[in-house]
Amino acid sequence: MGKEKAIGIDLGTTYSCVGVWENDRVEIIVNDQGNRTTPSMVAFTAKERLVGDAAKFQISSNPLNTIFDVKRLIGRQFTDSSVQADMKLWPFRVVSQKNDKPMIEVRYKSKKKLFAPEEISSMVLMKMKAIAEQYLQSEVKSAVITVPAYFSDSQRKMTKDAGRIAGLNVMRIINEPTAAAITYGFGRAKEEKKHILVFDLGGGTFDASIIVVRKGLFEVKAVGGEAHLGGEDFDNRMLTYCVQTFNNKYKTNLSRSAKALRRLRSECERAKRSLSSVVETVIDIDGLYEGHDFFLKIRRAKFEELNFDLFDQCMEVVKKCVEDAKLSKCQIDDIVLVGGSSRIPKVQEMVRDFFDGKELCRAVNPDEAIAYGAALQAAVLKKEEVHMVIVDVTPLSLGIAVSGGLMAVVVPRNTPLPTWKETSVTTPHDDQIAVSFEVYEGERPLVADNNLLGKFVLTGIRAAPARVPSIKVCVEVDEDGILSVSAHDKGSGASNEITIANEGGRLSIQEIDKMIADAEKFRREDEEEREKHVVKNALECYVSNMRKRAMKAKSEGSMDADVAKDLISTITDAEEWLDDNYSATVVELQDKLRELELKCPRLFSSKRFKFTKAEERK
Ligand code: AMP
């Protein structure tokens, strides 16, 4: 038995990818369809749950129960403006639950069911784990999972929760651009110090990072990005344009049909991809809505016009990131493009122009670089023979609310991780025995414009005049970029440590434990369903084969008429049984097959027919 392997998972908005360190290199693992990336999609049907390619294959016939883009929901509030905007274009339903938490509503096995975004993500992670286990032929327990550098504290925590629900020990959460930089730097151990810009434009997020790569040391200098900007937004722009064109032409409202929207969206995505290599393409869909066909010629220039402001937003982030790293453009030695959307020619042109015509690095695979880097990091943590040191940073400033609604920054953004910072606060009123704290992340001076992470109250402070007590507030951010805050009253001597409350709709330990149990239940049900397909298929093949042979024997007269009648009636009974017992269990199906396997050859052998079991199933 070899050493237990840890895997690296790039949990993408649209596609996920998994890699493992093996035989002194990273292997990107192909899935059961032979693909190196797997759609981050989960579908629920009356009978089963499907994940990955299987979910994508059936999306147009089951749009309401096929879930995608869940990375855009994780760690966000239902009332978040980006969630509200996305919901308008998603065919599936999202509802609000306690603490403003968004939940996904589906019909599964003919019942209404609600799933948390972490639960759906955990299903994708479980699929990636299973892909790796199939390849390695052993159980995988540990993983490094990547997140966008610009993911907030709650988005990171909830991604980690998703990993736990999937039954994984999440060894580390790493930033996607950092993972890509590791891929870039791996094998360049002898090269001189280089400043690289990782430009990561994926399906749902955009990240830019400036990283110093030097002989196995990866030091992040600055990160920037938009947690909600990527290929899906470009698809949405095209979709909106097509819907308007269609509605104007036929004086109707196509958005009323989830199925039509889904068909149109997937054609828009296909057209967008082809516009990266050709300058004109067509969108051609028969009977799209109310019997009307849709045909549209679209040019690359139109696509660029529809998305120009979004591309420009990416360049603004790059500009700021270079400034934050205190570098000038000409000090950037290499520009590494990752993420599927970085293939868009206009995006590449804008990046090149920004860096005064500098050639872009083509050394890493944009679809696999992140999983590759995550697998390398997993190997380091598992103490395989890979050596490197990674120093990442906080993407957003962290602080507490002080009088006047201002944010007192405790940990400025781009601080190297892990970090531990302390500040002192006091009481504004006489004899105050409790102080409430609000913890925020963001760059705006007023807390109202930043993101509230949590609140807590410190009680038991010794009564004293205003501004006398000295309360130490300690903010700690670990290597995963995950935050904990504590407060301690020096005056009373009483140490009162508090961790942030569950503000952002994060699941409680009990809820996570329940989801872990559910995930295991779903996994068993999926396996049972798969086994059922196999046995049912064998039974159906057997019955159809027997019918063909019986009919042939009857027509050739090579079988006694009574025996033939008996045989055909046995086969007809079996066919009826299959129709009537649509939801028969594996055991019932196996019993039926066994019964036929005993009965049919006996009838045949009464008239010179003898089969082996293999022959019967042919
Ligand atoms: P990722 O999250 O890195 O897997 O990127 C997926 C996104 O890249 C999706 O929105 C795809 O539509 C987009 N994408 C993939 N290939 C291309 C391409 N050739 N041109 C434009 N976008 C692409």
Side-chain angles (χ1 to χ4, degrees):
M1 248 311 257
K3 195 168 157 188
E4 189 226 317
K5 295 276 179 194
I7 54 175
I9 304 176
D10 167 9
L11 179 62
T13 311
T14 42
Y15 287 90
S16 294
C17 184
V18 58
V20 69
W21 175 259
E22 225 196 11
N23 303 326
D24 298 328
R25 58 192 285 263
V26 169
E27 191 66 48
I28 296 294
I29 308 174
V30 294
N31 67 16
D32 43 4
Q33 300 292 312
N35 299 326
R36 294 165 78 84
T37 57
T38 299
S40 305
M41 267 190 198
V42 181
F44 300 88
T45 74
K47 281 164 56 189
E48 61 191 330
R49 184 184 63 152
L50 303 163
V51 188
D53 291 297
K56 192 164 182 173
F57 289 149
Q58 54 82 75
I59 189 166
S60 47
S61 59
N62 184 25
L64 301 181
N65 300 299
T66 305
I67 315 305
F68 53 92
D69 269 2
V70 73
K71 193 167 167 183
R72 290 192 153 194
L73 268 181
I74 204 159
R76 289 185 186 273
Q77 311 277 105
F78 179 80
T79 45
D80 188 321
S81 59
S82 79
V83 171
Q84 290 299 313
D86 279 336
M87 274 171 53
K88 293 202 180 90
L89 292 161
W90 284 330
F92 52 87
R93 213 167 121 75
V94 180
V95 295
S96 168
Q97 285 279 292
K98 68 170 192 228
N99 287 334
D100 200 26
K101 187 178 176 74
M103 297 287 281
I104 298 143
E105 189 183 296
V106 292
R107 279 196 85 69
Y108 179 34
K109 298 193 171 169
S110 312
K111 286 200 189 105
K112 191 173 101 176
K113 202 146 173 34
L114 288 179
F115 288 105
E118 300 89 304
E119 244 177 322
I120 302 287
S121 276
S122 80
M123 294 173 191
V124 177
L125 288 171
M126 261 176 127
K127 173 78 186 173
M128 304 318 286
K129 176 177 181 277
I131 291 170
E133 286 173 341
Q134 173 71 25
Y135 168 78
L136 293 166
Q137 289 294 301
S138 63
E139 195 188 349
V140 170
K141 296 191 185 126
S142 310
V144 167
I145 301 175
T146 61
V147 294
Y150 227 59
F151 247 23
S152 70
D153 179 66
S154 59
Q155 288 169 308
R156 283 165 199 271
K157 281 178 178 153
M158 291 193 198
T159 303
K160 219 171 169 181
D161 289 345
R164 282 191 50 209
I165 298 166
L168 285 165
N169 157 34
V170 182
M171 299 159 83
R172 186 71 47 90
I173 293 282
I174 62 168
N175 290 334
E176 287 162 7
T178 313
I182 294 170
T183 305
Y184 168 91
F186 185 68
R188 293 176 193 241
K190 294 201 176 73
E191 287 184 14
E192 286 310 300
K193 170 174 162 179
K194 278 193 171 172
H195 288 105
I196 66 161
L197 167 84
V198 179
F199 182 99
D200 177 3
L201 188 56
T205 55
F206 171 60
D207 272 346
S209 289
I210 297 200
I211 302 169
V212 177
V213 181
R214 184 185 356 162
K215 298 190 170 98
L217 173 72
F218 299 86
E219 208 179 332
V220 181
K221 287 290 170 201
V223 297
E226 289 285 343
H228 200 287
L229 174 60
E232 298 266 332
D233 297 287
F234 313 146
D235 299 345
N236 287 346
R237 287 283 172 94
M238 251 178 132
L239 179 65
T240 308
Y241 172 68
C242 290
V243 169
Q244 276 164 2
T245 311
F246 185 92
N247 288 351
N248 288 344
K249 183 163 178 194
Y250 297 109
K251 305 280 170 284
T252 184
N253 183 5
L254 178 146
S255 308
R256 278 198 293 256
S257 162
K259 190 168 171 181
L261 267 184
R262 184 63 228 166
R263 282 179 75 198
L264 189 52
R265 176 194 284 273
S266 81
E267 275 307 294
C268 285
E269 201 239 358
R270 191 203 48 75
K272 173 193 75 175
R273 285 182 188 239
S274 41
L275 287 175
S276 290
S277 45
V278 295
V279 291
E280 185 178 280
T281 190
V282 292
I283 296 177
D284 185 3
I285 312 175
D286 285 341
L288 177 62
Y289 183 60
E290 292 175 339
H292 303 300
D293 300 339
F294 183 61
F295 181 86
L296 182 76
K297 257 192 201 163
I298 185 153
R299 292 188 63 77
R300 188 188 280 174
K302 182 71 198 174
F303 170 72
E304 291 169 356
E305 180 198 313
L306 290 172
N307 289 291
F308 188 78
D309 58 319
L310 299 178
F311 299 161
D312 209 36
Q313 231 172 301
C314 298
M315 297 321 301
E316 283 304 312
V317 171
V318 170
K319 188 164 166 250
K320 187 154 173 294
C321 199
V322 175
E323 282 165 14
D324 283 352
K326 302 193 175 45
L327 294 171
S328 68
K329 294 197 277 195
C330 62
Q331 285 173 290
I332 301 294
D333 299 299
D334 239 333
I335 301 147
V336 178
L337 298 187
V338 284
S341 305
S342 70
R343 292 197 177 90
I344 296 171
K346 187 72 189 173
V347 169
Q348 297 189 354
E349 182 191 311
M350 287 169 86
V351 178
R352 227 181 346 248
D353 286 353
F354 179 82
F355 288 99
D356 304 324
K358 189 170 181 55
E359 258 326 294
L360 310 174
C361 167
R362 314 248 166 217
V364 306
N365 178 326
D367 298 321
E368 298 172 5
I370 295 169
Y372 195 106
L376 280 171
Q377 169 71 306
V380 171
L381 296 172
K382 271 279 168 191
K383 305 212 173 8
E384 306 258 9
E385 290 304 303
V386 190
H387 301 287
M388 57 191 183
V389 179
I390 302 159
V391 182
D392 224 313
V393 295
T394 49
L396 297 165
S397 300
L398 300 161
I400 50 173
V402 291
S403 53
L406 293 172
M407 162 134 152
V409 173
V410 185
V411 179
R413 94 190 129 97
N414 289 327
T415 299
L417 295 179
T419 188
W420 187 94
K421 292 256 157 73
E422 206 178 71
T423 190
S424 276
V425 296
T426 187
T427 50
H429 308 291
D430 290 341
D431 298 327
Q432 203 174 324
I433 52 164
V435 180
S436 76
F437 293 93
E438 288 180 358
V439 184
Y440 286 85
E441 64 184 0
E443 308 311 316
R444 309 281 293 274
L446 292 177
V447 289
D449 299 322
N450 289 331
N451 186 19
L452 176 67
L453 295 174
K455 297 179 194 175
F456 65 82
V457 180
L458 177 70
T459 52
I461 301 166
R462 194 165 54 206
R467 283 179 281 281
V468 169
S470 172
I471 298 159
K472 262 199 309 187
V473 178
C474 176
V475 176
E476 202 177 337
V477 192
D478 68 11
E479 282 112 332
D480 294 335
I482 289 176
L483 163 84
S484 47
V485 182
S486 60
H488 170 79
D489 175 24
K490 268 187 188 166
S492 67
S495 176
N496 199 353
E497 213 162 273
I498 301 121
T499 320
I500 278 199
N502 192 1
E503 279 297 321
R506 198 176 174 206
L507 300 165
S508 66
I509 303 276
Q510 290 79 356
E511 283 169 320
I512 290 180
D513 284 347
K514 181 172 177 303
M515 284 179 186
I516 292 173
D518 282 351
E520 183 49 30
K521 190 176 124 231
F522 292 143
R523 195 188 59 77
R524 269 189 272 114
E525 284 175 2
D526 289 352
E527 245 168 40
E528 216 170 86
E529 194 57 40
R530 256 187 297 276
E531 207 187 325
K532 215 157 96 175
H533 280 311
V534 172
V535 184
K536 197 167 185 179
N537 196 33
L539 178 57
E540 282 168 350
C541 285
Y542 189 90
V543 171
S544 121
N545 192 28
M546 284 300 117
R547 175 170 285 285
K548 266 190 242 147
R549 287 180 172 228
M551 299 309 276
K552 189 164 174 255
K554 195 179 159 203
S555 71
E556 285 171 353
S558 57
M559 183 181 267
D560 181 280
D562 284 346
V563 178
K565 202 172 144 210
D566 208 359
L567 186 62
I568 290 169
S569 131
T570 303
I571 293 163
T572 308
D573 284 352
E575 285 163 347
E576 280 171 11
W577 185 90
L578 270 165
D579 286 344
D580 295 344
N581 292 277
Y582 184 70
S583 43
T585 64
V586 173
V587 174
E588 286 165 344
L589 289 162
Q590 278 168 338
D591 286 351
K592 195 74 195 164
L593 181 59
R594 228 170 282 130
E595 181 192 316
L596 288 176
E597 279 177 346
L598 281 173
K599 213 166 173 183
C600 294
R602 230 186 9 242
L603 288 168
F604 271 109
S605 66
S606 68
K607 264 303 176 195
R608 292 184 292 117
F609 283 94
K610 219 161 188 73
F611 303 111
T612 62
K613 286 228 162 102
E615 269 177 328
E616 288 160 27
R617 288 211 178 108
K618 245 189 264 162

